[in-house]
Amino acid sequence: MQHNDLHALYGCGPVTFTGTSDALFERRLVLDHVIDPKAAPPREQFEAFAGAVRDVLAQRWLKTSQTYDRVNPKQVYYLSMEFLIGRTLANNITNLFLEPIVEEFQNSKGVDLTELIEQEPDAGLGNGGLGRLAACFIESLATMKIPAIGYGLRYDYGIFRQEITNGYQSEQPDPWLNRPDPWEVARPHETASVPLGSSFQVQGGQIIVRRGHPTHLLGVPYDRPVVGFGGKTINTLRLWKATTPSVFDFGEFSSGDFFGAVSDKTLAESVTRVLYPDDSTSHGRSLRFLQEYFLVCCSLADIVSRFRRRGNKWSSLPDKVAIQLNDTHPAMAVPELMRILLDDAKLGWDEAWDLTVRTLAYTNHTLLPEALEKWSVHLFEALLPRHLEIIYEINRRFLGDVQSKCPGDDAKLSRVNLIEEGPDPKVRMASLAIVGTHSTNGVAAIHSKLLRAKTVPDFAELFPKRFNNKTNGVTPRRWLLLANPNLAKLLTSAVGNGWETNLSLLHKIAPLGQDTGFRNKFLAAKRAAKVRFVDWIKATDGISLDPDTLFDVQIKRIHEYKRQLLNAIQVIIWYNRLLSNPKLDIPPRTILFAGKAAPAYHLAKVIIKLITSIGRVVNADPAVHGKLRVEFLPNYSCTLAESLIPAADVSEQISTAGFEASGTSNMKLMMNGALTVGTQDGANIEIVEEVGEENAFIFGLTTEQVLNSRDWYNPKWHYENDVETRQALDLIFDDYFSPDEPGIFAPIREMLLERGDYYMHLADLTSYTVAQQRVGELYADPNAWAQKAILNVACSGKFSSDRTIAEYASEIWQVKPGPVV
Ligand code: 26V
């Protein structure tokens, strides 16, 4: 294709292209890498190719931000400690509609694009659902042409790479920036300054404060393009890197402290060195406190400077700015915005407070008490004394209001106190976020209901209008169009174009479940996805799988409440059944697990070891060969998910009811035609509402039953009275799966039988096994199975993140699709 065509698509500024797409690529190889294009290794080819794609989008990216500055619309700012982006090249090619050009280029140059794509490391700047949600949201915002910026941290090391050695998880660093990243653009001239009340040292992930020596950090922004589908709007994801002023600062150099200056720089840079890989507890992580403030301080300074440079008056802040806090991690935005409005803008308290509350909104992502953030007042005193002063004043006024509304209710007063009193008093960040924002939302209907009714009932009563629900969604561009090309093509042939941005159009395929021709094409697309995955996992990890078996998939962080253990025990039950009845006629099944355990979460790591150990025994047992296979796939990542999800037949969503806020892999799997085996938890409930209970396998206790049986639940009863349960557990406890490491699964026995099985695995085991029995029966009839799988795709429209973002936009942010760029 000629440059004029590219220019017509994406050009819009004074700069024009000077060649064809081939030339863009070759010029990059020669000029950036000084290498003969014919001799370039794959990595250099990737950089050149990605660079050429960036050249194509550069003008539109610039134009988008210029348009926002000129038109001055209300803009959304999404603050998140995590953006789990994954790879970018294929996504940008898709969203820029460059596929035809790229295909032509591949044919003419003999370049293998799949090989290039594999060169890109995942940008793994997140732990799991919360971080991937942020990435889906910014893509939807750009696709829907909503003026928006995502703000996060540019960690040198993303989520660790998981290795499995002798069946155990070990963590390896992920230096994803080792090679230059072709997407990011550093903007040193827009560096932000972060003043701190004390200087500090970093030791083992903790900071040691040197009181009374005020200091400051610098935040250098690195921008990444966020390409909307169709490439018209290209928003920005701005990631901050921590540093200090140049080490070659003349003053320090000449004063002789060269060594000190250099080591201070290293110290400062450790603030954005690594993503915290523990999403299950917030205890004792003082460096994390600095990270969170660093994000808030840099981002708010940036937001305010954009707001002012567009000529806005302070009083119009909520009319021009909507800031969404992704969990409490950026909740220091409440005192920080107050500080800016009081100390910099010189507004009075009442006006500053009104503007702050109307500008900020907060999303809650978990009800687990151990994950709710609380920061020591002492940390605030040392590093952010002014913020503590402001928090105390917010608290004083708030408690005054509560007292006048409910006089004499001291118990309530202490429950809603923003400060948890005690020897080491703490700021309750969720309470601060609720009080300091105009909207608090949960991420699925049941989660929002429980948040209101069980977790923060006092706040829900005080601020009934603030609480709302925004059920999560996922972007169909990455998770269907890009990940599952065969199914995407079939969908387009059936419903035409347009489903990519209006996923409800997929409803049209619902009747086609009855159509033999369509069903066969659907089954063929599923098989093609399985073969793609089988080839990929063989090449990546050397694992051999049979695509002609049922793929039963549980992919998510390893947590007790997500109950990978329930799945593992059920596998043992089927193993036992097959051993005692070799004629048992069940469809051959491959049970696939993937997910990371927090490095300090011992029991989660034992569960990984159990799954790998079961796999070792079961996969080597000729008695079940060809019928049952168990694999734990190492290093779960966006890229693994994109490959595996299209291949899945069964989606395991089996958390204890009331514990999974929403889940999003459940949505991705449904969209790709997997049937859900799930509890009535999180968004599973809404999935079943859409597709119908007869098209999923729902089992287990409801949230209410979990709550009501907590007092009398006795896991030992199940062990003593259910033969299959006992036989399965005894194999674990008696080291059948760990003959060389006796006793390693004792912590599982203790959790289940001695400490009361808090997540009620044994209570749900029988109904889970029955559900799995039904799965096997249905799978034996491919037509009946395909019909239900097709209905799952057809009814997945609600779970597009476009729907979620449309709800945030109209009900929380009051923003409209933006100016034409
Ligand atoms: C907590 C912490 C604690 C301190 C250190 C680092 C860290 C990182 C993350 C978290 C929060 C975890 C909360 C979370 O990921 N929630 C998940 O959010 C998904 C998107 O809304 C939702 O689908 C999942 O159900 C929910 O578990």
Side-chain angles (χ1 to χ4, degrees), residues 225-263:
V226 183
V227 179
F229 189 65
K232 293 286 182 247
T233 293
I234 302 184
N235 282 338
T236 296
L237 171 60
R238 173 159 280 200
L239 302 180
W240 300 100
K241 174 189 164 69
T243 185
T244 47
S246 166
V247 283
F248 295 106
D249 176 287
F250 189 70
E252 293 200 65
F253 193 54
S254 60
S255 69
D257 197 10
F258 171 74
F259 186 83
V262 175
S263 61

Side-chain angles (χ1 to χ4, degrees), residues 10 20 23 75 105 140 180 225-226 259 284 363 401 405 410 450 468 524 532 552 557 573 578 586 630 654 656 669 673:
Y10 301 109
T20 61
Q75 191 157 347
F105 171 79
S140 273
V226 183
F259 186 83
T363 304
D401 288 351
K405 270 191 200 143
D410 289 351
L450 291 171
N468 65 93
R532 274 163 68 99
D552 177 338
R557 286 297 285 251
I573 289 181
L578 283 166
I586 54 167
V630 181
I654 59 176
T656 316
L669 284 156

Side-chain angles (χ1 to χ4, degrees), residues 63 108 193 669 685:
K63 184 85 185 298
S108 68
S193 175
L669 284 156
I685 296 173

Side-chain angles (χ1 to χ4, degrees), residues 90-360:
N91 186 252
N92 283 356
I93 291 172
T94 299
N95 279 13
L96 289 164
F97 294 170
L98 289 178
E99 262 139 1
I101 297 174
V102 168
E103 218 159 273
E104 206 180 288
F105 171 79
Q106 286 195 93
N107 295 338
S108 68
K109 291 282 150 187
V111 171
D112 177 7
L113 192 67
T114 29
E115 195 191 3
L116 294 202
I117 284 171
E118 288 290 324
Q119 297 301 311
E120 183 172 4
D122 271 44
L125 310 185
N127 273 287
L130 170 144
R132 183 54 232 177
L133 186 77
C136 284
F137 276 9
I138 55 174
E139 196 271 354
S140 273
L141 282 161
T143 294
M144 297 166 77
K145 305 186 170 65
I146 293 175
I149 296 184
Y151 285 108
L153 296 182
R154 183 180 177 275
Y155 304 105
D156 296 329
Y157 295 87
I159 186 70
F160 62 85
R161 185 164 54 78
Q162 178 194 54
E163 279 184 3
I164 302 294
T165 319
N166 184 31
Y168 289 97
Q169 164 175 307
S170 73
E171 301 90 28
Q172 303 300 327
D174 159 47
W176 71 293
L177 290 170
N178 248 4
R179 308 289 301 259
D181 182 284
W183 305 111
E184 65 177 17
V185 182
R187 312 262 190 215
H189 57 287
E190 294 183 56
T191 294
S193 175
V194 182
L196 298 169
S198 299
S199 55
F200 61 92
Q201 283 191 317
V202 179
Q203 232 170 55
Q206 300 289 342
I207 55 173
I208 299 163
V209 172
R210 258 183 82 208
R211 278 177 178 269
H213 294 264
T215 183
H216 73 281
L217 299 170
L218 296 180
V220 180
Y222 286 72
D223 289 351
R224 309 173 73 84
V226 183
V227 179
F229 189 65
K232 293 286 182 247
T233 293
I234 302 184
N235 282 338
T236 296
L237 171 60
R238 173 159 280 200
L239 302 180
W240 300 100
K241 174 189 164 69
T243 185
T244 47
S246 166
V247 283
F248 295 106
D249 176 287
F250 189 70
E252 293 200 65
F253 193 54
S254 60
S255 69
D257 197 10
F258 171 74
F259 186 83
V262 175
S263 61
D264 281 359
K265 189 176 185 74
T266 311
L267 187 66
E269 291 181 350
S270 58
V271 170
T272 49
R273 187 80 68 219
V274 55
L275 166 81
Y276 270 93
D278 192 334
D279 63 351
S280 47
T281 167
S282 80
H283 296 317
R285 314 230 178 263
S286 48
L287 184 58
R288 166 95 180 175
F289 174 84
L290 259 192
Q291 290 187 330
E292 292 183 356
Y293 180 64
F294 179 76
L295 169 67
V296 161
C297 180
C298 296
S299 308
L300 286 198
D302 203 64
I303 292 166
V304 164
S305 109
R306 282 166 205 272
F307 170 75
R308 295 295 280 172
R309 108 181 152 219
R310 293 173 193 174
N312 298 302
K313 292 207 183 66
W314 289 110
S315 60
S316 70
L317 189 71
D319 307 322
K320 294 293 176 189
V321 173
I323 300 175
Q324 191 68 33
L325 309 178
N326 198 22
D327 217 295
T328 55
H329 314 157
M332 285 180 235
V334 174
E336 175 67 5
L337 188 52
M338 281 299 284
R339 188 198 61 73
I340 292 170
L341 296 173
L342 293 169
D343 300 354
D344 300 346
K346 311 279 186 219
L347 303 183
W349 182 278
D350 289 339
E351 191 184 3
W353 183 242
D354 175 63
L355 296 177
T356 296
V357 171
R358 289 201 288 135
T359 301
L360 300 176

Side-chain angles (χ1 to χ4, degrees), residues 81-82 127-134 275-283 285 288 292 326-327 329 363-368 370-373 375 442-444 447 472 559 561-562 659-667 682-683:
M81 288 287 284
E82 308 193 3
N127 273 287
L130 170 144
R132 183 54 232 177
L133 186 77
L275 166 81
Y276 270 93
D278 192 334
D279 63 351
S280 47
T281 167
S282 80
H283 296 317
R285 314 230 178 263
R288 166 95 180 175
E292 292 183 356
N326 198 22
D327 217 295
H329 314 157
T363 304
N364 173 283
H365 292 271
T366 181
L367 302 177
L368 297 183
E370 62 271 28
L372 292 182
E373 289 190 299
W375 289 119
V443 290
H447 166 66
N472 283 167
H559 266 281
Y561 84 81
K562 294 177 189 280
F659 285 89
E660 188 69 89
S662 161
T664 42
S665 75
N666 46 3
M667 302 171 183

